[in-house]
Amino acid sequence: QKFLEKNYKVIVGVILAFVLVVSVLNAWWDSAIFDETAHIPAGYSYLTMHDARLNPEHPPLLKDLAALPLVFMRLNFDTAQKFWTTDINGQWEAGHNLFWQTGNDPDQVIFWARLPIVLLSLLFGWFIFKWTKELAGILGGLFALTLYAFDPNILGHNHFVTTDLGIAGFMMISFYYFLRFIKDPTWKNAAIGGFFLAVVQLTKFSSILLFPIFGLAAIIYPLVKKIPAEQKSVLLFKLKNLGGYLGKSIAAFAISIVIVWIFYGLNFYKTPELKMAETINFYFSPTDTANVKNIYTNQTLLALNNNSFTRPLSEYFLGIAMVFKRVAGGNGAYFMGQVSGTAFPAYFPTVFTLKEPLILLFFMLSAIIIAFWNNIKAFIDRSKNSAKKSSWTTDFADYIRHHIRVLSMLSFIILYSYISITGNLNIGFRHLFPILPFIYILTAKIIINFCQKNKDASHKFTFLSATLILSALLIVQTIAAYPYYMSYFNPIAGGPKNGYRYATDSNADWGQDLKRLKVFLEKHPEINKIRVDYFGGANIKYYIQDKYIMWWDAKRPIEPGWYAISTNFLQGSIYDKTKKDSDSYRWLKNIQPVYQVGTSIFVYYVGEDELRGLK
């Protein structure tokens, strides 16, 4: 323990260096995933053209950061094409143009766009250490950082140009500074809290889920604040406190909206009013009389768009409205032998259990048990203490006052989990990322405090040693799983190679293995032609050139030869009950793949014998 506390700066540096090295390697070797085809060109267009027509459903901050290195690369980006001139939100075509069609080096473009996201992941790791160190000391900080840095799911997504890790990290930072304001409600802390509230709003629109938690904290905490002995009127004191908190909280929110408005204005001041109106009318039709919400949304957004001063807010609220519409509409997904566009209630609990390392799950469960026992024990002790004169309400107020940080984090975890489980968007464990930093922090705080507060020296040594050994095993297991972090599944699911059986999309197959298919084909010159059905953002022709034949599940007749099929398309086709056998890959169910490239592409060989068996 003394060694760790004495050398903690070096240990933090080593852990973050590991994250950096692994992430840079994955940033190079993972091919473009599906969403990057939209996010990278959008960010590049924001910085170079200040126009909001691409990818308005996500705020600009992370896309700006990703595109920053690209500004210095003098890329070709042909805005004379229809994705820019006539299409509404032609984001996918824009990506194909930037990456593959105008002479740019796509591997360099994608790699350099990913580096700012990698650097952000280091900042978030350091901040997890900082916050937990304040709550549970140096050991707690190191433990929380280890849980973060050696979670394969973090390493699997911290090099992609998406919003998932960014929103998790900035939500945590926004939480930290708002809770600092709650504990010390100065105008300075309110202003800092407002600034970081703006940052998280500029990261992803799911940030609005912070508002109810922050609002409750701003109302409840002043009501339970300790009353000075000289205070004559309890009610007057509480009302004055409440008014001060609410006033400064509203000011913080106002600051955040002003910063959002300025940032949107700087990013998108060249967006044509007519183009913005076309986008609004496309997504929220003014003639859709069957949906009154669409009409009201259309009218509000157009009213804001009609004035250059309020147009940035029109662009901001358009994105929020698009997200709500998408969540309500759902997204087709494969899960546990089913394909559906509506939510599976068991989806997020299942993927959480299958994709987190078993040791990490054990730590989380241990923390829940310890916290539950500590609270039960405190209740029993209070019941036995007959001399205690304080009322239940006083004790409850004291509990909230002393545990406002923990209770706020826990409330957010519960709220966000509930919204995710009952929502209609089951396309990846990554959508649970916002709760992960809080889980790491609370798990580390509870376990380390339990170990250190144990009065029996031998028990304290045993618990700390067990925590250290299990942490070392987590590190070893995570290193051993390299490079398959995005598609990581724990041994219950059969590991990364078998996770596709349970869930696909960004859990297992997001298009990350096309460059590995290229390497595979170079090692197998006997394959001169291969039929490819690839899910992802990379370009098949660029990597495989004249060796590939475009294929899809409904293409007939089935031909003898080699096939490379993404597991996302494979599972989605086989288990989609709306598809006929003649339009699906069900004919592959009884043919064993010859190779598994990475974790997401199966390579099959269909010979004459297999072909005759299919007839």
Side-chain angles (χ1 to χ4, degrees), residues 5 17 35 38 49 106 130 235 275 317 324 361 374 460 473 481 504 509 544 571:
E5 292 178 346
D35 286 23
M49 283 165 255
K130 165 187 165 60
L235 179 62
K275 190 66 179 180
F317 288 118
F324 275 108
L361 291 174
N374 284 342
K460 179 179 179 180
L473 286 174
T504 53
D509 177 11
I544 303 178
Q571 297 295 85

Side-chain angles (χ1 to χ4, degrees), residues 27-211:
W28 178 256
W29 282 110
D30 281 352
S31 47
I33 59 168
F34 195 85
D35 286 23
E36 287 179 313
T37 312
H39 289 183
I40 294 174
Y44 186 72
S45 72
Y46 300 165
L47 293 185
T48 57
M49 283 165 255
H50 304 285
D51 195 303
R53 70 186 68 192
L54 298 179
N55 196 241
E57 62 265 38
H58 294 293
L61 178 59
L62 294 177
K63 290 175 283 185
D64 282 355
L65 292 174
L68 195 58
L70 307 185
V71 174
F72 303 97
M73 296 174 68
R74 297 184 179 181
L75 302 176
N76 299 315
F77 190 50
D78 188 1
T79 54
Q81 299 297 317
K82 66 175 186 176
F83 74 78
W84 189 263
T85 58
T86 59
D87 288 351
I88 301 296
N89 191 15
Q91 53 188 347
W92 310 109
E93 292 77 12
H96 290 297
N97 178 272
L98 180 66
F99 295 162
W100 322 106
Q101 297 170 359
T102 50
N104 300 315
D105 184 333
D107 289 329
Q108 291 291 332
V109 171
I110 294 163
F111 174 76
W112 284 103
R114 287 171 169 175
L115 280 188
I117 309 301
V118 172
L119 296 178
L120 270 184
S121 75
L122 302 182
L123 170 66
F124 298 151
W126 174 83
F127 208 94
I128 285 173
F129 168 78
K130 165 187 165 60
W131 193 357
T132 317
K133 176 173 170 284
E134 293 177 10
L135 296 174
I138 291 173
L139 280 184
L142 291 175
F143 187 29
L145 175 59
T146 300
L147 298 181
Y148 166 82
F150 293 95
D151 186 335
N153 297 289
I154 297 297
L155 296 173
H157 286 265
N158 73 338
H159 58 283
F160 291 143
V161 183
T162 62
T163 56
D164 303 304
L165 189 69
I167 187 62
F170 283 128
M171 271 189 170
M172 169 188 63
I173 294 174
S174 181
F175 238 95
Y176 174 87
Y177 284 104
F178 193 82
L179 289 175
R180 192 168 76 170
F181 156 71
I182 291 296
K183 296 292 285 185
D184 185 15
T186 64
W187 280 107
K188 176 184 175 181
N189 285 340
I192 294 172
F195 173 80
F196 283 104
L197 186 59
V199 170
V200 76
Q201 288 175 262
L202 290 167
T203 302
K204 195 170 184 175
F205 292 120
S206 56
S207 58
I208 61 175
L209 292 178
L210 290 177
F211 295 157

Side-chain angles (χ1 to χ4, degrees), residues 66 141 150 200 220 275 278 305 392 429 450 494 514 539 574 615:
F150 293 95
V200 76
I220 293 173
K275 190 66 179 180
E278 289 177 356
N305 183 53
W392 283 102
F429 174 64
F450 172 78
L514 189 62
N539 184 279
I574 289 174
K615 294 179 179 177

Side-chain angles (χ1 to χ4, degrees), residues 467-489:
T467 302
L468 182 62
I469 292 169
L470 288 174
S471 298
L473 286 174
L474 174 65
I475 293 170
V476 171
Q477 289 179 356
T478 299
I479 293 173
Y482 175 83
Y484 306 128
Y485 292 137
M486 196 219 81
S487 55
Y488 178 84
F489 280 78

